[in-house]
Amino acid sequence: MVKTVGVEFFCYHRDRPGSETLREELLQEHWSYMDRYQAQMIARGPTFAGDTPTGSVHIVGLPDPAAARAFAFDEPNYQAGVYRDVLLRRWRNLLGRTMWDFPGGRTGGNRYLVLGFGAGPATDLAVPPTGTS
């Protein structure tokens, strides 16, 4: 069973065209940043077009929308300009487990993320300024 804090959020950072080199240069900073959220992480991973990275997806349990915005916009790749935009939405983990709880553990089997649209108002439509924490 997933132990999340407060509210679950889906965060998709979409890469800016031509930012692959900068993304590679910031890899350690990105991983260090994400390590701070290890206990709250439900799922994570890069998106690709063929072999080329196109962005990053993170599903994370955080206390509130302000914490989710800080997670999304304080991320080192976002701060450095790797990402061209960010999609941040409330999420419901209907399966009640993390991506690592599935058969095969961390390395076995294929994993797919299935998205569905929900009802109700958006959490917050205002884009926060950078450096929110």
Side-chain angles (χ1 to χ4, degrees):
M1 196 71 169
V2 168
K3 292 181 182 178
T4 58
V5 178
V7 185
E8 297 161 340
F9 293 90
F10 173 88
C11 181
Y12 172 47
H13 289 98
R14 187 168 57 152
D15 284 5
R16 185 178 308 284
S19 66
E20 192 171 354
T21 300
L22 181 56
R23 177 191 256 270
E24 290 171 10
E25 291 171 5
L26 294 167
L27 188 61
Q28 285 304 111
E29 286 182 56
H30 169 77
W31 281 106
S32 293
Y33 183 81
M34 290 303 157
D35 285 348
R36 294 173 24 199
Y37 294 93
Q38 181 178 0
Q40 296 91 359
M41 199 66 63
I42 297 165
R44 65 184 285 170
T47 59
F48 291 94
D51 291 335
T52 303
T54 59
S56 293
V57 168
H58 298 90
I59 301 173
V60 62
L62 296 166
D64 54 43
R69 285 190 301 276
F71 170 82
F73 294 103
D74 290 349
E75 197 279 338
N77 286 341
Y78 179 82
Q79 290 290 312
V82 170
Y83 302 130
R84 81 189 225 179
D85 52 39
V86 176
L87 172 69
L88 184 61
R89 294 288 185 262
R90 289 282 305 271
W91 181 266
R92 253 180 98 193
N93 184 3
L94 294 178
L95 296 176
R97 54 187 170 178
T98 72
M99 65 184 272
W100 301 280
D101 294 331
F102 286 84
R106 291 186 176 269
T107 59
N110 293 324
R111 292 178 179 85
Y112 300 93
L113 178 63
V114 178
L115 302 175
F117 292 105
T123 300
D124 190 347
L125 297 177
V127 177
T130 59
T132 57
S133 66

